[in-house]
Amino acid sequence: MMTLKVCASLLLLFVVHSVWTRTVRQVYNELDPEHWSHYTFECPQECFCPPSFPNALYCDNKGLKEIPAIPARIWYLYLQNNLIETISEKPFVNATHLRWINLNKNKITNGGIESGVLSKLKRLLYLFLEDNELEEVPAPLPVGLEQLRLARNKISRIPEGVFSNLENLTMLDLHQNNLLDSALQSDTFQGLNSLMQLNIAKNSLKKMPLSIPANTLQLFLDNNSIEVIPENYFSAIPKVTFLRLNYNKLSDAGIPPNGFNVSSILDLQLSHNQLTKIPPINAHLEHLHLDHNRIKSVNGTQICPVSIAVAEDYGLYGNIPRLRYLRLDGNEIQPPIPLDIMICFQLLQAVVI
């Protein structure tokens, strides 16, 4: 079971890593050491400038209360774990090549961000503002941004049109904020045509969010209070592969008959809900987490996405269900595992009861 968990984790990390590294690799490859000689190598006294990485500036964990002047050569700026309250234009006057800013774990508020300062960073691709004091998504943002991380703030409002020009954004992380359903309108995510991962876990949602971008691969909604999956909800996001709805309030009545019978979903997590039976699943599903619900029994014939007869004739049909991992612990199910489960899901490598 441990091996399978590791494999599943590696698969997820591979997808996330692909999103994470795509542009970083492109940016790094664009560096030309011959051009470094054109820059003076001044270094703010509060920071560290590694000689082997001259376009990076490390100012993290320095107790800084404001951002120092950023030299023109800098592409990667690390300012995490400080006491910074404001982002003003002055430190960035010469920093026209910035691609990456990490401002996690500071004390930045929306009022402390000078108007238009972020959008003037024309080449910025990665912006990390986790663990600050933001109450709304900052705006306007750089149009070329590829990752925006705003986890663990106090965000309860998303300004209208804040994402409308972010056509290159692949990852948006808003988890552990104060978002209510009213903050997510039908046009909130409009314009995010390249989005691959959306994380809205640990908020205060009672409904599935509206108008998720169609290219989304990973949708994380854990630790909300969602009770209902609307009919045909996932038809609007036909590429969704990883879906996490752990720690919500889903019951059998809140799931349409074929709500999760979606061919694109490979990893479905419904742990810590209020389900009393296994919802219909698709033959393409590979990992199913249903632990800590209220399920009392499992009938393999009923939950099998193909007929048992077809599953038994695996050698003839070659298209049996792909489920490899099934987690059912924390329910009221007693072993042994029903034989028809094993007949249907012949690729199962681990069942946890």
Side-chain angles (χ1 to χ4, degrees):
M1 182 182 72
M2 181 61 69
T3 301
L4 185 63
K5 288 182 178 179
V6 171
C7 290
S9 298
L10 286 174
L11 177 61
L12 178 58
L13 285 172
F14 174 77
V15 176
V16 175
H17 186 264
S18 297
V19 176
W20 173 265
T21 61
R22 184 181 66 183
T23 304
V24 172
R25 190 179 299 113
Q26 293 171 350
V27 167
Y28 188 79
N29 289 340
E30 289 176 8
L31 296 178
D32 186 350
E34 294 182 1
H35 294 165
W36 294 346
S37 60
H38 297 303
Y39 296 117
T40 57
F41 282 81
E42 75 276 13
C43 185
Q45 63 179 2
E46 310 95 327
C47 307
F48 171 62
C49 300
S52 60
F53 198 11
N55 60 336
L57 183 62
Y58 291 86
C59 309
D60 51 308
N61 296 286
K62 302 295 185 181
L64 300 180
K65 293 186 177 181
E66 57 184 38
I67 299 173
I70 311 302
R73 71 177 189 277
I74 299 303
W75 289 39
Y76 302 97
L77 177 59
Y78 299 89
L79 288 160
Q80 67 270 27
N81 293 300
N82 280 294
L83 303 171
I84 297 168
E85 297 181 359
T86 60
I87 304 176
S88 60
E89 184 176 347
K90 185 177 179 180
F92 299 104
V93 169
N94 296 319
T96 56
H97 295 284
L98 274 175
R99 264 58 167 180
W100 175 305
I101 298 178
N102 189 333
L103 276 159
N104 292 345
K105 295 187 177 180
N106 278 282
K107 297 181 179 298
I108 298 166
T109 62
N110 289 94
I113 301 176
E114 187 175 335
S115 179
V117 62
L118 296 175
S119 63
K120 291 178 181 178
L121 302 173
K122 302 294 185 181
R123 300 188 182 186
L124 194 67
L125 301 176
Y126 295 81
L127 178 58
F128 303 161
L129 282 164
E130 299 179 344
D131 295 284
N132 277 280
E133 304 292 329
L134 300 174
E135 295 185 350
E136 63 180 54
V137 175
L141 292 164
V143 296
L145 210 58
E146 292 199 358
Q147 286 196 20
L148 178 59
R149 296 183 175 235
L150 298 169
R152 294 178 299 277
N153 276 274
K154 301 176 181 179
I155 295 173
S156 60
R157 181 174 176 271
I158 301 178
E160 184 177 356
V162 66
F163 302 129
S164 60
N165 293 320
L166 304 187
E167 295 185 357
N168 296 323
L169 198 73
T170 59
M171 178 185 290
L172 176 58
D173 191 344
L174 289 162
H175 88 269
Q176 200 165 333
N177 277 285
N178 298 327
L179 292 172
L180 300 170
D181 296 318
S182 57
L184 305 180
Q185 301 298 314
S186 59
D187 60 350
T188 295
F189 301 113
Q190 185 176 343
L192 298 180
N193 300 325
S194 300
L195 196 70
M196 297 173 67
Q197 184 185 104
L198 178 59
N199 192 341
I200 326 178
K202 294 188 177 181
N203 278 279
S204 300
L205 304 180
K206 295 183 178 180
K207 300 178 181 178
M208 295 291 285
L210 301 171
S211 300
I212 300 297
N215 287 319
T216 302
L217 296 175
Q218 303 171 358
L219 179 57
F220 303 149
L221 292 164
D222 314 77
N223 293 88
N224 281 285
S225 298
I226 297 170
E227 300 179 356
V228 175
I229 306 294
E231 190 83 34
N232 299 318
Y233 181 83
F234 298 104
S235 62
I237 41 175
K239 297 181 181 180
V240 64
T241 304
F242 298 90
L243 177 62
R244 294 200 327 221
L245 280 160
N246 303 318
Y247 291 95
N248 277 283
K249 297 182 179 180
L250 290 171
S251 64
D252 302 328
I255 300 175
N258 284 296
F260 294 120
N261 187 0
V262 180
S263 61
S264 65
I265 298 178
L266 302 181
D267 190 298
L268 176 59
Q269 300 190 20
L270 297 169
S271 304
H272 294 272
N273 278 280
Q274 301 171 12
L275 303 175
T276 64
K277 59 184 180 182
I278 298 177
I281 59 174
N282 192 272
H284 290 91
L285 187 68
E286 295 184 3
H287 300 88
L288 178 59
H289 298 247
L290 284 164
D291 55 287
H292 298 90
N293 277 273
R294 300 175 183 177
I295 301 169
K296 295 183 178 181
S297 62
V298 181
N299 186 315
T301 303
Q302 291 180 355
I303 69 171
C304 192
V306 300
S307 72
I308 291 292
V310 170
E312 284 184 296
D313 287 329
Y314 167 65
L316 176 62
Y317 290 90
N319 191 28
I320 61 170
R322 300 177 186 175
L323 194 68
R324 289 170 168 79
Y325 179 85
L326 176 60
R327 183 171 178 183
L328 292 166
D329 56 304
N331 285 284
E332 300 176 35
I333 303 168
Q334 299 297 321
I337 300 167
L339 179 60
D340 53 3
I341 290 284
M342 307 311 296
I343 293 173
C344 175
F345 302 109
Q346 296 181 29
L347 300 180
L348 265 176
Q349 298 177 19
V351 181
V352 185
I353 295 185

